[in-house]
Structure formats: C-alpha cells, structure tokens
Amino acid sequence: MSEFAIDHLGIAVRSLDRALEFYQGQLGLEVSHRETVAAERVNVAMLPASVSRIELLEPASEDSTIAKFLAKRGEGLHHVALRTRDFAATIERLRASGARILNEPRTGAGGHTYVFVHPESTGGVLLEIIESKE
Ligand code: ZN
C-alpha cells in the first residue's frame, strides 16, 4: 500500500492579506511563497507548519471555484491534501474502484502534480492527492 502524509490543508478566504494578519501576524507562521495559479484562477499563500503546510486560497476572479465556494459556504476549510510517492498507482487504484476523480493529473501551486477527489467518495471532504517528489 502507498504511504501518505498530510501535505497541506487548503483554506478558502476572501482576502489573503486579511487572513495573513492572523496566520502570519498573530499566529506567527511564515509565508514560504505566494503565487497566482492561472488554471484555478486563485491566489495562493503557502505557510509551512512543521512537516505540513497551510494553503490560503483567495479567488483571483469571480468565476473561480474558490469564489463559488465562498458564495455558497463562506470562508473555511476547502480541502485536505495528501501526498504520496505512489501517485500513479494510487490514481489507478482509485479509478478502478470507482472513486470520483475530478480532473486529469495537472500541475499546480509549487509545480506539484495533483488530482482532486470528490467529497462524495471521501466522507464529505474535497481531497487533493499530490505526487511526492522526495
Ligand atoms: Zn491544495
């Protein structure tokens, strides 16, 4: 079986700058990088927390999935991301067993390859699976 680690928790926010007042200013985490992921129309700030990370997600346009999430659910936990070295085998196993994978593997924040699995397959949490390059 594959080995997994929690890579990051994705949190949808209306404003990165306002969220960073808490996560950076008050809590004391540091931002390792910020970027705009054009394919997802989202602005991302990554904050390492020991072996894991917090990923803050701000919509970069009104038709982004994060904007839709915020309109429907408000700010909050958007997804949980696991990383594994056995990425291809994991995706194949999930497909074969009927899990609902939402996209073909693609490259996102930080140059990582990932897929999303629909909450109906995972107990109600949008799950991101990332290829570990270590
Ligand atoms: Zn993520």
Side-chain angles (χ1 to χ4, degrees), residues 2-82:
S2 310
E3 279 183 47
F4 294 97
I6 294 181
D7 186 86
H8 64 267
L9 303 176
I11 299 172
V13 300
R14 293 196 172 84
S15 161
L16 279 187
D17 288 334
R18 207 177 58 217
L20 286 172
E21 286 173 17
F22 172 75
Y23 285 98
Q24 195 174 35
Q26 293 177 263
L27 191 58
L29 294 179
E30 290 185 15
V31 176
S32 61
H33 73 276
R34 290 175 74 148
E35 70 176 291
T36 298
V37 182
E40 307 279 3
R41 295 183 296 282
V42 65
N43 301 319
V44 175
M46 276 292 188
L47 298 93
S50 183
V51 297
S52 189
R53 296 179 291 171
I54 300 287
E55 179 184 57
L56 299 175
L57 304 157
E58 171 197 73
S61 78
E62 284 182 14
D63 61 349
S64 80
T65 56
I66 296 300
K68 289 171 193 158
F69 178 90
L70 288 169
K72 199 169 152 191
R73 310 261 298 265
E75 293 185 312
L77 184 65
H78 178 260
H79 63 272
V80 171
L82 294 173

Coordinates of all heavy atoms in Angstrom, one line a residue, residues 2-82:
S2 N 0.3 2.3 -0.4 CA 1.0 3.6 -0.5 C 1.2 4.2 0.9 O 0.5 4.0 1.8 CB 0.2 4.6 -1.4 OG -0.2 4.0 -2.6
E3 N 2.3 5.0 1.0 CA 2.5 5.8 2.2 C 2.0 7.2 1.9 O 2.3 7.7 0.8 CB 4.0 5.8 2.5 CG 4.5 4.6 3.3 CD 5.9 4.8 3.7 OE1 6.3 5.9 4.2 OE2 6.7 3.9 3.4
F4 N 1.3 7.7 2.8 CA 0.7 9.1 2.7 C 1.2 10.0 3.8 O 1.5 9.5 4.9 CB -0.8 9.0 2.7 CG -1.4 8.3 1.5 CD1 -1.8 7.0 1.7 CD2 -1.6 9.0 0.3 CE1 -2.3 6.3 0.6 CE2 -2.1 8.3 -0.8 CZ -2.5 7.0 -0.6
A5 N 1.3 11.3 3.5 CA 1.5 12.3 4.5 C 0.5 13.4 4.2 O 0.2 13.6 3.1 CB 2.9 12.8 4.5
I6 N 0.1 14.1 5.3 CA -0.8 15.3 5.0 C 0.2 16.4 4.5 O 1.1 16.9 5.2 CB -1.5 15.7 6.3 CG1 -2.6 14.7 6.6 CG2 -2.2 17.1 6.0 CD1 -3.4 15.0 7.8
D7 N 0.0 16.8 3.3 CA 0.8 17.8 2.7 C 0.4 19.2 3.1 O 1.2 20.0 3.5 CB 0.8 17.7 1.1 CG 1.7 18.6 0.5 OD1 2.9 18.2 0.3 OD2 1.3 19.8 0.1
H8 N -0.9 19.5 3.0 CA -1.4 20.7 3.4 C -2.9 20.7 3.6 O -3.6 19.8 3.2 CB -1.0 21.9 2.5 CG -1.6 21.7 1.1 ND1 -1.0 21.1 0.1 CD2 -2.8 22.2 0.6 CE1 -1.8 21.2 -1.0 NE2 -2.9 21.8 -0.7
L9 N -3.4 21.7 4.3 CA -4.8 22.0 4.5 C -5.1 23.3 3.7 O -4.5 24.3 3.9 CB -5.2 22.2 5.9 CG -4.8 21.0 6.9 CD1 -5.2 21.4 8.3 CD2 -5.6 19.8 6.5
G10 N -6.1 23.2 2.8 CA -6.5 24.3 1.9 C -7.6 25.1 2.6 O -8.7 24.5 2.8
I11 N -7.4 26.4 2.8 CA -8.5 27.2 3.5 C -8.9 28.3 2.6 O -8.0 29.1 2.1 CB -7.9 27.7 4.8 CG1 -7.6 26.6 5.8 CG2 -8.9 28.7 5.5 CD1 -6.8 27.0 7.0
A12 N -10.2 28.4 2.2 CA -10.7 29.4 1.4 C -10.9 30.7 2.2 O -11.6 30.7 3.2 CB -12.0 29.0 0.7
V13 N -10.3 31.8 1.7 CA -10.5 33.1 2.3 C -10.9 34.1 1.3 O -10.6 34.0 0.1 CB -9.2 33.5 3.1 CG1 -8.9 32.5 4.2 CG2 -8.1 33.8 2.1
R14 N -11.6 35.2 1.8 CA -12.0 36.3 0.8 C -10.8 37.2 0.5 O -10.7 37.7 -0.6 CB -13.1 37.1 1.5 CG -14.4 36.3 1.6 CD -15.6 37.2 1.8 NE -16.8 36.4 1.7 CZ -17.3 35.7 2.7 NH1 -16.7 35.7 3.9 NH2 -18.3 34.9 2.6
S15 N -9.9 37.3 1.5 CA -8.7 38.2 1.3 C -7.5 37.6 1.9 O -7.4 37.3 3.1 CB -9.0 39.5 2.0 OG -7.7 40.2 2.2
L16 N -6.5 37.3 1.1 CA -5.2 36.8 1.6 C -4.6 37.7 2.6 O -4.1 37.3 3.7 CB -4.2 36.6 0.4 CG -4.3 35.3 -0.4 CD1 -3.1 35.3 -1.4 CD2 -4.4 34.1 0.4
D17 N -4.6 39.0 2.3 CA -3.9 40.0 3.2 C -4.6 40.0 4.5 O -3.9 40.0 5.6 CB -4.0 41.4 2.5 CG -3.0 41.5 1.4 OD1 -2.0 40.7 1.3 OD2 -3.2 42.3 0.5
R18 N -5.9 39.9 4.5 CA -6.6 39.9 5.8 C -6.3 38.6 6.6 O -6.1 38.6 7.8 CB -8.1 40.1 5.6 CG -8.7 40.8 6.9 CD -10.2 41.1 6.7 NE -10.9 39.8 6.3 CZ -11.9 39.8 5.5 NH1 -12.4 40.8 4.8 NH2 -12.5 38.6 5.2
A19 N -6.4 37.5 5.9 CA -6.1 36.2 6.5 C -4.7 36.1 7.1 O -4.4 35.6 8.1 CB -6.3 35.0 5.5
L20 N -3.7 36.7 6.3 CA -2.3 36.7 6.8 C -2.1 37.6 8.1 O -1.2 37.3 8.8 CB -1.4 37.2 5.7 CG -1.2 36.2 4.6 CD1 -0.4 36.8 3.4 CD2 -0.5 34.9 5.1
E21 N -3.0 38.5 8.3 CA -3.0 39.3 9.5 C -3.1 38.3 10.7 O -2.4 38.5 11.8 CB -4.1 40.3 9.6 CG -3.8 41.5 8.7 CD -5.0 42.5 8.7 OE1 -5.8 42.4 9.6 OE2 -5.0 43.3 7.8
F22 N -3.9 37.3 10.6 CA -4.0 36.3 11.6 C -2.8 35.2 11.5 O -2.0 35.1 12.5 CB -5.3 35.5 11.6 CG -5.3 34.4 12.6 CD1 -5.4 34.6 13.9 CD2 -5.1 33.0 12.1 CE1 -5.4 33.5 14.8 CE2 -5.0 32.0 13.0 CZ -5.2 32.2 14.4
Y23 N -2.7 34.5 10.4 CA -1.8 33.4 10.3 C -0.4 33.8 10.4 O 0.4 33.1 11.0 CB -2.0 32.6 9.0 CG -3.3 31.8 9.0 CD1 -4.5 32.2 8.5 CD2 -3.3 30.5 9.7 CE1 -5.6 31.5 8.6 CE2 -4.5 29.8 9.8 CZ -5.6 30.3 9.2 OH -6.8 29.5 9.3
Q24 N 0.0 35.0 9.9 CA 1.4 35.4 9.9 C 1.5 36.4 11.1 O 2.4 36.2 11.9 CB 1.7 36.2 8.6 CG 3.2 36.4 8.4 CD 3.4 37.0 7.0 OE1 2.6 37.8 6.4 NE2 4.5 36.6 6.4
G25 N 0.7 37.4 11.2 CA 0.8 38.4 12.2 C 0.6 38.0 13.6 O 1.4 38.2 14.5
Q26 N -0.5 37.3 13.8 CA -0.9 36.9 15.2 C -0.4 35.5 15.5 O 0.2 35.3 16.6 CB -2.4 36.9 15.3 CG -3.0 38.3 15.3 CD -4.5 38.3 15.4 OE1 -5.2 38.3 14.4 NE2 -5.0 38.2 16.6
L27 N -0.6 34.6 14.6 CA -0.2 33.2 14.9 C 1.3 33.0 14.8 O 1.9 32.3 15.6 CB -0.9 32.2 14.0 CG -0.8 30.7 14.3 CD1 -1.4 30.4 15.7 CD2 -1.6 29.9 13.3
G28 N 2.0 33.7 13.8 CA 3.4 33.6 13.7 C 4.0 32.6 12.7 O 5.2 32.4 12.6
L29 N 3.1 32.1 11.8 CA 3.6 31.3 10.7 C 4.2 32.2 9.7 O 3.9 33.4 9.6 CB 2.4 30.5 10.0 CG 1.8 29.4 10.9 CD1 0.6 28.8 10.1 CD2 2.7 28.4 11.3
E30 N 5.1 31.6 8.9 CA 5.8 32.5 7.8 C 5.3 32.0 6.4 O 5.0 30.8 6.2 CB 7.3 32.3 7.9 CG 7.8 33.1 9.2 CD 9.3 33.1 9.2 OE1 10.0 32.8 8.2 OE2 9.8 33.4 10.4
V31 N 5.2 32.9 5.5 CA 4.8 32.6 4.1 C 6.0 32.2 3.4 O 7.0 32.9 3.3 CB 4.2 33.9 3.5 CG1 3.9 33.6 2.0 CG2 3.0 34.3 4.2
S32 N 6.0 30.9 2.8 CA 7.1 30.4 2.0 C 7.0 30.9 0.6 O 8.0 31.2 0.0 CB 7.2 28.9 2.0 OG 6.0 28.3 1.5
H33 N 5.8 31.0 0.1 CA 5.7 31.7 -1.2 C 4.2 32.0 -1.5 O 3.3 31.5 -0.9 CB 6.3 30.9 -2.4 CG 5.5 29.7 -2.7 ND1 5.6 28.5 -2.1 CD2 4.5 29.5 -3.7 CE1 4.8 27.6 -2.6 NE2 4.1 28.2 -3.6
R34 N 4.0 33.0 -2.4 CA 2.7 33.4 -2.9 C 2.8 33.3 -4.4 O 3.8 33.6 -5.0 CB 2.4 34.8 -2.5 CG 2.1 35.0 -1.0 CD 1.9 36.5 -0.6 NE 0.6 36.9 -1.1 CZ -0.1 37.9 -0.4 NH1 0.4 38.4 0.7 NH2 -1.3 38.3 -0.9
E35 N 1.7 32.9 -5.0 CA 1.6 32.8 -6.4 C 0.1 32.8 -6.9 O -0.8 32.5 -6.1 CB 2.3 31.6 -7.0 CG 1.6 30.3 -6.7 CD 2.3 29.1 -7.4 OE1 2.3 29.0 -8.6 OE2 2.9 28.3 -6.7
T36 N -0.1 33.1 -8.1 CA -1.4 33.0 -8.7 C -1.4 31.8 -9.6 O -0.5 31.7 -10.5 CB -1.7 34.3 -9.6 OG1 -1.8 35.4 -8.7 CG2 -3.1 34.1 -10.3
V37 N -2.3 30.8 -9.4 CA -2.4 29.7 -10.2 C -3.5 30.0 -11.2 O -4.7 30.0 -10.9 CB -2.8 28.4 -9.4 CG1 -2.9 27.2 -10.3 CG2 -1.8 28.2 -8.3
A38 N -3.0 30.3 -12.5 CA -3.9 30.7 -13.5 C -5.0 29.7 -13.8 O -6.2 30.1 -14.0 CB -3.1 31.1 -14.8
A39 N -4.7 28.4 -13.9 CA -5.7 27.4 -14.3 C -6.8 27.4 -13.3 O -8.0 27.1 -13.7 CB -5.0 26.1 -14.4
E40 N -6.6 27.7 -12.0 CA -7.6 27.6 -11.0 C -8.2 29.0 -10.7 O -9.1 29.2 -9.9 CB -7.1 27.0 -9.7 CG -6.4 25.7 -9.8 CD -7.4 24.5 -9.9 OE1 -8.6 24.8 -9.9 OE2 -6.9 23.4 -10.0
R41 N -7.6 30.0 -11.3 CA -8.0 31.4 -11.0 C -8.0 31.7 -9.5 O -9.0 32.1 -8.9 CB -9.3 31.8 -11.7 CG -9.2 31.7 -13.2 CD -10.5 32.1 -13.9 NE -11.6 31.2 -13.6 CZ -11.7 30.0 -14.2 NH1 -10.8 29.6 -15.1 NH2 -12.7 29.3 -14.0
V42 N -6.8 31.4 -8.9 CA -6.8 31.5 -7.4 C -5.4 32.1 -7.0 O -4.4 31.8 -7.7 CB -7.0 30.1 -6.7 CG1 -5.9 29.1 -7.1 CG2 -7.1 30.3 -5.2
N43 N -5.4 32.9 -6.0 CA -4.1 33.4 -5.4 C -3.8 32.6 -4.2 O -4.7 32.4 -3.3 CB -4.3 34.9 -5.0 CG -4.6 35.8 -6.2 OD1 -4.1 35.6 -7.3 ND2 -5.5 36.7 -6.0
V44 N -2.6 32.1 -4.1 CA -2.3 31.1 -3.1 C -1.1 31.7 -2.2 O -0.2 32.3 -2.7 CB -1.8 29.8 -3.7 CG1 -1.3 28.8 -2.7 CG2 -2.9 29.2 -4.6
A45 N -1.3 31.5 -0.9 CA -0.1 31.7 0.0 C 0.1 30.5 0.8 O -0.8 29.9 1.3 CB -0.5 32.9 1.0
M46 N 1.4 30.0 0.8 CA 1.7 28.8 1.5 C 2.5 29.1 2.8 O 3.4 29.9 2.7 CB 2.6 27.9 0.6 CG 1.9 27.0 -0.4 SD 1.0 25.7 0.4 CE 0.5 24.8 -1.0
L47 N 2.1 28.5 3.9 CA 2.7 28.7 5.2 C 3.1 27.4 5.8 O 2.2 26.7 6.3 CB 1.7 29.5 6.1 CG 1.2 30.9 5.6 CD1 -0.1 30.8 4.8 CD2 1.1 31.8 6.8
P48 N 4.4 27.1 5.8 CA 4.8 25.8 6.4 C 4.5 25.8 7.8 O 4.6 26.8 8.6 CB 6.4 25.9 6.1 CG 6.6 26.8 5.0 CD 5.5 27.8 5.1
A49 N 4.1 24.6 8.3 CA 3.8 24.3 9.7 C 4.4 22.9 10.0 O 3.8 21.9 9.8 CB 2.3 24.3 10.0
S50 N 5.7 22.9 10.4 CA 6.5 21.7 10.6 C 6.5 20.9 9.3 O 6.9 21.5 8.2 CB 5.9 20.9 11.7 OG 6.6 19.7 11.9
V51 N 6.1 19.6 9.3 CA 6.1 18.8 8.1 C 5.0 19.1 7.1 O 4.9 18.5 6.0 CB 6.2 17.3 8.4 CG1 7.5 17.1 9.2 CG2 5.0 16.9 9.2
S52 N 4.0 19.9 7.6 CA 2.8 20.1 6.8 C 2.7 21.6 6.4 O 3.7 22.4 6.7 CB 1.6 19.7 7.5 OG 0.4 19.7 6.6
R53 N 1.7 22.0 5.8 CA 1.5 23.4 5.4 C 0.1 23.9 5.5 O -0.8 23.0 5.4 CB 2.0 23.6 4.0 CG 3.5 23.3 3.8 CD 3.9 23.5 2.3 NE 3.3 22.5 1.5 CZ 3.4 22.5 0.2 NH1 4.0 23.4 -0.5 NH2 2.8 21.5 -0.5
I54 N -0.1 25.2 5.7 CA -1.4 25.8 5.5 C -1.4 26.5 4.1 O -0.5 27.2 3.8 CB -1.7 26.8 6.6 CG1 -1.7 26.2 8.0 CG2 -3.0 27.5 6.3 CD1 -2.9 25.4 8.3
E55 N -2.4 26.2 3.3 CA -2.6 26.8 2.0 C -3.8 27.8 2.0 O -4.9 27.3 2.1 CB -2.7 25.8 0.9 CG -2.9 26.3 -0.5 CD -3.2 25.2 -1.5 OE1 -4.2 24.5 -1.3 OE2 -2.4 25.1 -2.5
L56 N -3.5 29.1 2.0 CA -4.6 30.0 1.9 C -5.0 30.3 0.5 O -4.1 30.5 -0.4 CB -4.2 31.3 2.6 CG -3.9 31.2 4.1 CD1 -3.4 32.5 4.7 CD2 -5.1 30.7 4.9
L57 N -6.3 30.3 0.2 CA -6.8 30.4 -1.2 C -7.7 31.5 -1.3 O -8.7 31.6 -0.7 CB -7.5 29.1 -1.6 CG -6.7 27.8 -1.4 CD1 -7.7 26.6 -1.3 CD2 -5.8 27.6 -2.6
E58 N -7.4 32.5 -2.2 CA -8.2 33.7 -2.4 C -8.6 33.7 -3.9 O -7.8 33.5 -4.8 CB -7.4 34.9 -2.1 CG -8.0 36.2 -2.5 CD -6.9 37.4 -2.5 OE1 -6.1 37.4 -3.4 OE2 -6.9 38.2 -1.6
P59 N -9.9 33.9 -4.2 CA -10.3 33.9 -5.6 C -9.6 35.0 -6.4 O -9.4 36.1 -5.9 CB -11.8 34.1 -5.6 CG -12.1 34.6 -4.2 CD -11.0 34.1 -3.3
A60 N -9.1 34.7 -7.6 CA -8.4 35.7 -8.4 C -9.4 36.2 -9.4 O -9.1 37.2 -10.1 CB -7.2 35.1 -9.2
S61 N -10.6 35.6 -9.5 CA -11.7 36.1 -10.4 C -13.0 35.6 -9.8 O -13.0 34.6 -9.1 CB -11.5 35.7 -11.8 OG -11.9 34.4 -12.0
E62 N -14.1 36.2 -10.3 CA -15.4 35.9 -9.7 C -15.9 34.5 -10.2 O -16.8 34.0 -9.6 CB -16.4 37.0 -10.0 CG -16.2 38.2 -9.1 CD -17.2 39.3 -9.4 OE1 -18.2 39.0 -10.0 OE2 -16.9 40.4 -9.0
D63 N -15.3 34.0 -11.3 CA -15.8 32.7 -11.7 C -14.9 31.5 -11.3 O -15.0 30.4 -11.8 CB -15.9 32.7 -13.3 CG -14.6 32.9 -14.0 OD1 -13.6 33.3 -13.3 OD2 -14.5 32.8 -15.2
S64 N -14.0 31.8 -10.3 CA -13.1 30.7 -9.9 C -13.9 29.8 -8.9 O -14.9 30.2 -8.3 CB -11.9 31.3 -9.1 OG -12.2 31.6 -7.8
T65 N -13.4 28.6 -8.8 CA -14.1 27.6 -7.9 C -14.1 28.1 -6.5 O -15.0 27.8 -5.7 CB -13.5 26.2 -8.0 OG1 -12.2 26.3 -7.7 CG2 -13.7 25.6 -9.4
I66 N -13.0 28.8 -6.1 CA -13.0 29.4 -4.7 C -14.0 30.5 -4.5 O -14.6 30.5 -3.4 CB -11.5 29.9 -4.4 CG1 -10.5 28.7 -4.5 CG2 -11.5 30.6 -3.1 CD1 -10.8 27.6 -3.5
A67 N -14.3 31.3 -5.5 CA -15.3 32.3 -5.4 C -16.7 31.6 -5.2 O -17.5 32.1 -4.4 CB -15.3 33.2 -6.6
K68 N -16.9 30.6 -6.0 CA -18.2 29.8 -5.8 C -18.3 29.2 -4.5 O -19.4 29.2 -3.8 CB -18.3 28.8 -6.9 CG -18.5 29.4 -8.3 CD -18.4 28.4 -9.4 CE -18.3 29.1 -10.8 NZ -17.8 28.2 -11.8
F69 N -17.2 28.6 -4.0 CA -17.2 28.0 -2.7 C -17.5 29.1 -1.6 O -18.3 28.8 -0.7 CB -15.8 27.4 -2.4 CG -15.7 26.8 -1.0 CD1 -16.0 25.4 -0.8 CD2 -15.2 27.5 0.1 CE1 -15.8 24.9 0.4 CE2 -15.1 26.9 1.3 CZ -15.4 25.6 1.5
L70 N -16.9 30.2 -1.7 CA -17.1 31.3 -0.7 C -18.6 31.8 -0.7 O -19.1 32.0 0.3 CB -16.2 32.5 -1.0 CG -14.7 32.2 -0.6 CD1 -13.8 33.4 -1.2 CD2 -14.5 32.1 0.9
A71 N -19.1 31.9 -1.9 CA -20.5 32.3 -2.0 C -21.5 31.3 -1.4 O -22.5 31.7 -0.8 CB -20.9 32.5 -3.5
K72 N -21.2 30.1 -1.5 CA -22.1 29.0 -1.0 C -21.8 28.7 0.4 O -22.8 28.5 1.2 CB -21.8 27.8 -1.9 CG -22.9 26.7 -1.8 CD -22.6 25.7 -2.9 CE -23.2 24.3 -2.5 NZ -22.7 23.2 -3.4
R73 N -20.6 28.6 0.8 CA -20.2 28.1 2.2 C -19.6 29.1 3.1 O -19.4 28.9 4.3 CB -19.3 26.9 2.0 CG -19.8 25.8 1.0 CD -20.5 24.7 1.7 NE -19.6 23.9 2.6 CZ -18.9 22.9 2.3 NH1 -18.9 22.4 1.0 NH2 -18.2 22.2 3.2
G74 N -19.1 30.2 2.5 CA -18.3 31.2 3.3 C -16.9 30.7 3.5 O -16.5 29.7 3.0
E75 N -16.1 31.5 4.2 CA -14.7 31.1 4.4 C -14.6 29.8 5.2 O -15.5 29.5 6.1 CB -14.0 32.2 5.2 CG -13.8 33.5 4.4 CD -13.0 34.6 5.1 OE1 -13.3 34.8 6.3 OE2 -12.1 35.1 4.5
G76 N -13.5 29.0 5.0 CA -13.4 27.8 5.8 C -12.5 26.8 5.1 O -11.9 27.0 4.0
L77 N -12.5 25.6 5.7 CA -11.7 24.5 5.2 C -12.2 24.1 3.8 O -13.4 23.8 3.7 CB -11.7 23.3 6.1 CG -10.8 22.1 5.7 CD1 -9.3 22.5 5.7 CD2 -11.1 20.9 6.6
H78 N -11.4 24.2 2.8 CA -11.8 23.9 1.4 C -11.4 22.5 1.0 O -12.1 21.8 0.4 CB -11.2 24.9 0.5 CG -11.5 24.7 -1.0 ND1 -10.6 24.1 -1.8 CD2 -12.6 24.9 -1.7 CE1 -11.2 24.0 -3.0 NE2 -12.4 24.5 -3.0
H79 N -10.2 22.1 1.3 CA -9.7 20.7 1.0 C -8.6 20.3 1.9 O -7.9 21.1 2.6 CB -9.3 20.6 -0.5 CG -8.1 21.4 -0.8 ND1 -8.2 22.7 -1.3 CD2 -6.8 21.1 -0.9 CE1 -7.0 23.2 -1.5 NE2 -6.1 22.2 -1.3
V80 N -8.4 18.9 1.9 CA -7.3 18.3 2.6 C -6.4 17.7 1.5 O -6.9 17.1 0.6 CB -7.8 17.2 3.6 CG1 -6.6 16.4 4.2 CG2 -8.6 17.8 4.7
A81 N -5.1 17.9 1.6 CA -4.2 17.4 0.6 C -3.2 16.3 1.2 O -2.6 16.6 2.2 CB -3.4 18.5 0.0
L82 N -3.2 15.2 0.6 CA -2.3 14.1 1.0 C -1.3 14.0 -0.1 O -1.6 14.1 -1.3 CB -3.0 12.7 1.1 CG -4.1 12.6 2.2 CD1 -4.8 11.3 2.0 CD2 -3.4 12.7 3.5

